[in-house]
């Protein structure tokens, strides 16, 4: 059953860069941005990650943790993070458990062939663990600013 805005997000734990395990419930008291991207070190994903990286001080000021998620290996995630100087953790979701929880695995077409892949999507979870906002089928340009504005509005409302 897909997650719905206003409903609690099921707890999850996942392996992330920095040799840590991220557990959603451990982040209670903070807003959490979980953004899903198709593949590390590709142009759109690099731009999107860079946009979040460059706005991290503003997200920090809004009491918000940023987490990037893809199906890449932990090694690929570590390399991507280091090369792009990302200042937030990336989750390696090779078993697709987090992707499945957020229902982001979709049938995609590339060069006339169909395959299952991650639909670029972002989710904003409030400090109480409820889904506050979601963006699916994301276009990278201006997206991080839109998520930041929603995060700041969420803080202003609470």
């Amino acid at each position: 059953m897909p997650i719905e805005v206003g409903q609690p997000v099921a707890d999850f734990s996942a392996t992330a860069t920095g040799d840590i395990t991220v557990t959603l419930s451990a982040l209670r008291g903070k807003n959490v941005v979980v953004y899903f991207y198709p593949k590390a070190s590709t142009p759109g994903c690099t731009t999107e990650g860079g946009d979040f990286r460059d706005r991290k001080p503003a997200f920090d000021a809004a009491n918000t943790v940023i987490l990037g998620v893809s199906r890449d290996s932990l090694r690929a995630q570590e390399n991507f993070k280091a090369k792009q100087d990302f200042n937030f953790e990336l989750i390696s979701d090779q078993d697709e458990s987090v992707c499945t929880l957020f229902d982001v695995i979709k049938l995609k077409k590339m060069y006339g062939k169909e395959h299952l892949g991650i639909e670029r999507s972002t989710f904003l979870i409030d400090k109480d663990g409820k889904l506050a906002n979601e963006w699916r089928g994301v276009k990278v340009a201006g997206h991080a600013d839109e998520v930041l504005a929603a995060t700041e509005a969420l803080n202003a409302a609470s």
Side-chain angles (χ1 to χ4, degrees):
M1 188 162 125
I3 299 170
E4 294 183 19
V5 172
Q7 297 300 311
V9 176
D11 197 20
F12 66 84
S13 291
T15 304
T17 51
D19 198 29
I20 64 167
T21 298
V22 171
T23 302
L24 183 61
S25 59
L27 299 173
R28 288 272 155 75
K30 292 184 177 286
N31 301 313
V32 181
V33 169
V34 182
Y35 82 94
F36 291 85
Y37 57 95
K39 188 152 182 60
S41 300
T42 57
C45 300
T46 299
T47 299
E48 184 178 27
D51 288 348
F52 279 110
R53 175 198 62 217
D54 296 347
R55 287 153 186 79
K56 186 168 182 299
F59 278 104
D60 288 345
N63 191 36
T64 303
V65 174
I66 301 167
L67 298 170
V69 183
S70 78
R71 299 183 302 179
D72 293 291
S73 69
L74 187 58
R75 183 175 181 185
Q77 297 288 52
E78 290 284 7
N79 291 341
F80 187 38
K81 179 182 175 187
K83 186 174 180 184
Q84 300 303 323
D85 200 26
F86 290 156
N87 47 11
F88 52 86
E89 302 307 331
L90 301 177
I91 290 173
S92 172
D93 191 33
Q94 290 187 288
D95 68 358
E96 299 180 0
S97 59
V98 181
C99 290
T100 301
L101 174 65
F102 286 90
D103 191 30
V104 299
I105 301 292
K106 303 292 180 188
L107 192 61
K108 300 169 88 176
K109 280 188 179 180
M110 188 159 67
Y111 306 119
K113 294 185 178 180
E114 292 184 337
H115 69 282
L116 289 175
I118 292 179
E119 175 185 46
R120 192 179 304 276
S121 306
T122 302
F123 300 86
L124 174 58
I125 303 166
D126 72 15
K127 59 183 174 27
D128 298 318
K130 292 181 181 172
L131 184 62
N133 210 331
E134 67 178 6
W135 296 264
R136 293 182 182 271
V138 166
K139 302 293 182 226
V140 172
H143 178 62
D145 288 327
E146 188 178 345
V147 176
L148 179 58
T151 303
E152 291 170 340
L154 182 63
N155 283 343
S158 63

